Amino acid sequence: DRARLSRDFDDRLSLLTEFRESGVEWHVTEVGDRLYLEDVQNAMLECVHAGMDHIKKKIEIERSKQAVQERLDNGYYQGKPPYGLEFDDEGQYLVPADEFEHVRTIFDLRDDGMSYNKIADRVPVTSSTVSNICDRREMYVEYAAEL
């Protein structure tokens, strides 16, 4: 796929020029053969493909940004769910996952004064995950009123 080489127009032109100057053969699966970059017309067409791929990628990025903003505007969670939570069936809101019981245990042990390392020895997570969970306690309270 041409775009796998680079979707940035300037980078792709630099690579095409370098290929032409050094005699590198570039084989493209969608063409099913080698691109003959030593031929000016073929090189020119590859410049056009580079420009089109660049434009397509910019449009894709803009659509992604709009989709993220729309999710945020609708109050949906955006990003990877924190430990112990997962997306609901519609992929919009966070709900407790099976591991949420570990979150409860972590808070109970932390409330008892246990260190992150000792908690990590008792719960199947790393001490840094224990720390992250404790730092997000207010967020977790939204999902379990008894925390």
Side-chain angles (χ1 to χ4, degrees), residues 16-29:
L16 290 170
T17 301
E18 193 173 323
F19 288 175
R20 280 176 50 86
E21 290 172 353
S22 60
V24 170
E25 287 187 11
W26 184 22
H27 295 259
V28 176
T29 55

PDB file of all heavy atoms in Angstrom, residues 16-29:
ATOM      1  N   LEU A  16      10.399   9.437  -2.440  1.00  0.00           N
ATOM      2  CA  LEU A  16      10.335   9.182  -3.873  1.00  0.00           C
ATOM      3  C   LEU A  16      11.585   9.704  -4.576  1.00  0.00           C
ATOM      4  O   LEU A  16      12.156   9.019  -5.437  1.00  0.00           O
ATOM      5  CB  LEU A  16       9.080   9.811  -4.488  1.00  0.00           C
ATOM      6  CG  LEU A  16       7.749   9.172  -4.126  1.00  0.00           C
ATOM      7  CD1 LEU A  16       6.593  10.043  -4.596  1.00  0.00           C
ATOM      8  CD2 LEU A  16       7.638   7.780  -4.702  1.00  0.00           C
ATOM      9  N   THR A  17      12.010  10.877  -4.200  1.00  0.00           N
ATOM     10  CA  THR A  17      13.226  11.449  -4.786  1.00  0.00           C
ATOM     11  C   THR A  17      14.436  10.581  -4.445  1.00  0.00           C
ATOM     12  O   THR A  17      15.270  10.284  -5.308  1.00  0.00           O
ATOM     13  CB  THR A  17      13.439  12.890  -4.278  1.00  0.00           C
ATOM     14  OG1 THR A  17      12.301  13.669  -4.628  1.00  0.00           O
ATOM     15  CG2 THR A  17      14.687  13.507  -4.869  1.00  0.00           C
ATOM     16  N   GLU A  18      14.510  10.165  -3.192  1.00  0.00           N
ATOM     17  CA  GLU A  18      15.621   9.306  -2.769  1.00  0.00           C
ATOM     18  C   GLU A  18      15.594   7.975  -3.522  1.00  0.00           C
ATOM     19  O   GLU A  18      16.633   7.473  -3.952  1.00  0.00           O
ATOM     20  CB  GLU A  18      15.541   9.084  -1.259  1.00  0.00           C
ATOM     21  CG  GLU A  18      16.782   8.489  -0.660  1.00  0.00           C
ATOM     22  CD  GLU A  18      16.720   8.456   0.851  1.00  0.00           C
ATOM     23  OE1 GLU A  18      16.183   9.416   1.445  1.00  0.00           O
ATOM     24  OE2 GLU A  18      17.207   7.465   1.418  1.00  0.00           O
ATOM     25  N   PHE A  19      14.414   7.392  -3.689  1.00  0.00           N
ATOM     26  CA  PHE A  19      14.291   6.145  -4.454  1.00  0.00           C
ATOM     27  C   PHE A  19      14.782   6.338  -5.885  1.00  0.00           C
ATOM     28  O   PHE A  19      15.517   5.518  -6.417  1.00  0.00           O
ATOM     29  CB  PHE A  19      12.843   5.657  -4.478  1.00  0.00           C
ATOM     30  CG  PHE A  19      12.334   5.098  -3.174  1.00  0.00           C
ATOM     31  CD1 PHE A  19      11.006   4.721  -3.064  1.00  0.00           C
ATOM     32  CD2 PHE A  19      13.144   4.952  -2.058  1.00  0.00           C
ATOM     33  CE1 PHE A  19      10.502   4.203  -1.880  1.00  0.00           C
ATOM     34  CE2 PHE A  19      12.656   4.443  -0.879  1.00  0.00           C
ATOM     35  CZ  PHE A  19      11.333   4.069  -0.781  1.00  0.00           C
ATOM     36  N   ARG A  20      14.346   7.437  -6.503  1.00  0.00           N
ATOM     37  CA  ARG A  20      14.751   7.710  -7.890  1.00  0.00           C
ATOM     38  C   ARG A  20      16.264   7.871  -8.000  1.00  0.00           C
ATOM     39  O   ARG A  20      16.891   7.322  -8.887  1.00  0.00           O
ATOM     40  CB  ARG A  20      14.061   8.975  -8.414  1.00  0.00           C
ATOM     41  CG  ARG A  20      12.631   8.762  -8.867  1.00  0.00           C
ATOM     42  CD  ARG A  20      11.960  10.063  -9.295  1.00  0.00           C
ATOM     43  NE  ARG A  20      12.718  10.889 -10.236  1.00  0.00           N
ATOM     44  CZ  ARG A  20      12.704  10.748 -11.559  1.00  0.00           C
ATOM     45  NH1 ARG A  20      11.968   9.803 -12.112  1.00  0.00           N
ATOM     46  NH2 ARG A  20      13.405  11.561 -12.332  1.00  0.00           N
ATOM     47  N   GLU A  21      16.844   8.616  -7.071  1.00  0.00           N
ATOM     48  CA  GLU A  21      18.283   8.896  -7.130  1.00  0.00           C
ATOM     49  C   GLU A  21      19.134   7.665  -6.852  1.00  0.00           C
ATOM     50  O   GLU A  21      20.210   7.518  -7.414  1.00  0.00           O
ATOM     51  CB  GLU A  21      18.642  10.003  -6.139  1.00  0.00           C
ATOM     52  CG  GLU A  21      18.117  11.363  -6.548  1.00  0.00           C
ATOM     53  CD  GLU A  21      18.306  12.417  -5.474  1.00  0.00           C
ATOM     54  OE1 GLU A  21      18.733  12.074  -4.337  1.00  0.00           O
ATOM     55  OE2 GLU A  21      17.999  13.595  -5.757  1.00  0.00           O
ATOM     56  N   SER A  22      18.654   6.789  -5.986  1.00  0.00           N
ATOM     57  CA  SER A  22      19.459   5.625  -5.602  1.00  0.00           C
ATOM     58  C   SER A  22      19.076   4.347  -6.347  1.00  0.00           C
ATOM     59  O   SER A  22      19.686   3.301  -6.126  1.00  0.00           O
ATOM     60  CB  SER A  22      19.373   5.403  -4.093  1.00  0.00           C
ATOM     61  OG  SER A  22      18.035   5.187  -3.705  1.00  0.00           O
ATOM     62  N   GLY A  23      18.065   4.422  -7.204  1.00  0.00           N
ATOM     63  CA  GLY A  23      17.679   3.254  -7.992  1.00  0.00           C
ATOM     64  C   GLY A  23      16.944   2.182  -7.202  1.00  0.00           C
ATOM     65  O   GLY A  23      16.928   1.011  -7.589  1.00  0.00           O
ATOM     66  N   VAL A  24      16.310   2.568  -6.112  1.00  0.00           N
ATOM     67  CA  VAL A  24      15.545   1.608  -5.306  1.00  0.00           C
ATOM     68  C   VAL A  24      14.292   1.204  -6.066  1.00  0.00           C
ATOM     69  O   VAL A  24      13.595   2.041  -6.638  1.00  0.00           O
ATOM     70  CB  VAL A  24      15.156   2.243  -3.946  1.00  0.00           C
ATOM     71  CG1 VAL A  24      14.158   1.366  -3.200  1.00  0.00           C
ATOM     72  CG2 VAL A  24      16.388   2.493  -3.099  1.00  0.00           C
ATOM     73  N   GLU A  25      14.027  -0.103  -6.092  1.00  0.00           N
ATOM     74  CA  GLU A  25      12.780  -0.596  -6.689  1.00  0.00           C
ATOM     75  C   GLU A  25      11.705  -0.577  -5.616  1.00  0.00           C
ATOM     76  O   GLU A  25      11.888  -1.103  -4.526  1.00  0.00           O
ATOM     77  CB  GLU A  25      12.964  -2.026  -7.205  1.00  0.00           C
ATOM     78  CG  GLU A  25      13.785  -2.124  -8.448  1.00  0.00           C
ATOM     79  CD  GLU A  25      13.786  -3.551  -9.014  1.00  0.00           C
ATOM     80  OE1 GLU A  25      12.987  -4.404  -8.552  1.00  0.00           O
ATOM     81  OE2 GLU A  25      14.596  -3.787  -9.921  1.00  0.00           O
ATOM     82  N   TRP A  26      10.572   0.001  -5.960  1.00  0.00           N
ATOM     83  CA  TRP A  26       9.458   0.065  -5.030  1.00  0.00           C
ATOM     84  C   TRP A  26       8.322  -0.749  -5.621  1.00  0.00           C
ATOM     85  O   TRP A  26       7.814  -0.441  -6.690  1.00  0.00           O
ATOM     86  CB  TRP A  26       9.044   1.519  -4.812  1.00  0.00           C
ATOM     87  CG  TRP A  26       7.959   1.715  -3.792  1.00  0.00           C
ATOM     88  CD1 TRP A  26       7.590   0.890  -2.789  1.00  0.00           C
ATOM     89  CD2 TRP A  26       7.101   2.853  -3.705  1.00  0.00           C
ATOM     90  NE1 TRP A  26       6.562   1.420  -2.069  1.00  0.00           N
ATOM     91  CE2 TRP A  26       6.251   2.641  -2.612  1.00  0.00           C
ATOM     92  CE3 TRP A  26       6.980   4.027  -4.432  1.00  0.00           C
ATOM     93  CZ2 TRP A  26       5.275   3.551  -2.233  1.00  0.00           C
ATOM     94  CZ3 TRP A  26       6.013   4.937  -4.049  1.00  0.00           C
ATOM     95  CH2 TRP A  26       5.172   4.701  -2.957  1.00  0.00           C
ATOM     96  N   HIS A  27       7.950  -1.804  -4.907  1.00  0.00           N
ATOM     97  CA  HIS A  27       6.860  -2.673  -5.342  1.00  0.00           C
ATOM     98  C   HIS A  27       5.629  -2.357  -4.498  1.00  0.00           C
ATOM     99  O   HIS A  27       5.703  -2.288  -3.277  1.00  0.00           O
ATOM    100  CB  HIS A  27       7.248  -4.148  -5.191  1.00  0.00           C
ATOM    101  CG  HIS A  27       8.368  -4.537  -6.093  1.00  0.00           C
ATOM    102  ND1 HIS A  27       8.167  -5.205  -7.275  1.00  0.00           N
ATOM    103  CD2 HIS A  27       9.710  -4.326  -6.015  1.00  0.00           C
ATOM    104  CE1 HIS A  27       9.321  -5.409  -7.873  1.00  0.00           C
ATOM    105  NE2 HIS A  27      10.279  -4.880  -7.125  1.00  0.00           N
ATOM    106  N   VAL A  28       4.501  -2.173  -5.162  1.00  0.00           N
ATOM    107  CA  VAL A  28       3.264  -1.801  -4.485  1.00  0.00           C
ATOM    108  C   VAL A  28       2.233  -2.887  -4.739  1.00  0.00           C
ATOM    109  O   VAL A  28       1.943  -3.230  -5.891  1.00  0.00           O
ATOM    110  CB  VAL A  28       2.756  -0.425  -4.993  1.00  0.00           C
ATOM    111  CG1 VAL A  28       1.425  -0.077  -4.366  1.00  0.00           C
ATOM    112  CG2 VAL A  28       3.790   0.650  -4.706  1.00  0.00           C
ATOM    113  N   THR A  29       1.667  -3.424  -3.657  1.00  0.00           N
ATOM    114  CA  THR A  29       0.733  -4.542  -3.780  1.00  0.00           C
ATOM    115  C   THR A  29      -0.513  -4.171  -4.566  1.00  0.00           C
ATOM    116  O   THR A  29      -1.023  -4.984  -5.330  1.00  0.00           O
ATOM    117  CB  THR A  29       0.321  -5.072  -2.395  1.00  0.00           C
ATOM    118  OG1 THR A  29      -0.210  -3.997  -1.623  1.00  0.00           O
ATOM    119  CG2 THR A  29       1.492  -5.686  -1.669  1.00  0.00           C
TER     120      THR A  29
END
